[in-house]
Amino acid sequence: MLYILFAALIVLADQFFKGWIVSAIPLGGQMAFIPGLLQITHVHNYAAAFSLFSGMKVPIIILTCIICIVIIVALIIKKPKSTLQRIALMLVLGGAVGNLIDRIALGYVIDMFETLFIDFPVFNIADCAIVVGGILFCVCILFEDIGKKKKKVAPPAQSETDEIFDKLKEFRPVEESSDEPSDNSNG
């Protein structure tokens, strides 16, 4: 339940900030944020990430809904053991829902963060959550796989030389029995 609250907070922060942008900065307007690094630029994005699939509003909405359902089902059925995996999935879910609200209500997504040190598409809080969540989830999976491989190659509890040594400890020389004739005959 706590994780769902985390996703809801991402959606609320994203929607609140987008609402503030719309009320404070006209479309195409700019405002300094972090001089030389980042500025606030009010733009509308009618496409998906990096302006891909422009004009395909309905398929993007359907795909986003499917992704959200898959995440929710994975959380219910698979129940990721790692807290970081759950946080990563909630970041992606919160970001996807934040942008989905814009697409359904407005027909576009409101973006506002523009990097000044590199030519990069303008993005928003939901985009940040999706990217950070996706990267975090991939890192979790990668380290989980590395951990499994280490467990597979771990040496057994008892090595082969230990087994041989234990068998040698059990070895007893054969003692001569009194039923056999001895070589000390008086012949």
Side-chain angles (χ1 to χ4, degrees), residues 85-158:
Q85 282 183 1
R86 283 187 228 120
I87 289 170
L89 290 173
M90 290 299 100
L91 282 164
V92 173
L93 182 63
V97 170
N99 282 341
L100 182 63
I101 291 169
D102 282 11
R103 282 190 208 291
I104 291 171
L106 306 171
Y108 54 85
V109 174
I110 298 167
D111 286 332
M112 73 283 301
F113 296 114
E114 183 177 10
T115 56
L116 300 175
F117 61 95
I118 188 172
D119 186 25
F120 194 78
V122 181
F123 56 95
N124 60 38
I125 291 173
D127 296 337
C128 293
I130 292 168
V131 170
V132 170
I135 291 170
L136 182 61
F137 189 76
C138 290
V139 168
C140 288
I141 297 299
L142 179 68
F143 281 109
E144 183 179 287
D145 284 348
I146 290 171
K148 285 180 183 177
K149 286 180 183 176
K150 282 185 179 179
K151 288 179 184 176
K152 286 181 183 177
V153 296
Q158 187 175 26

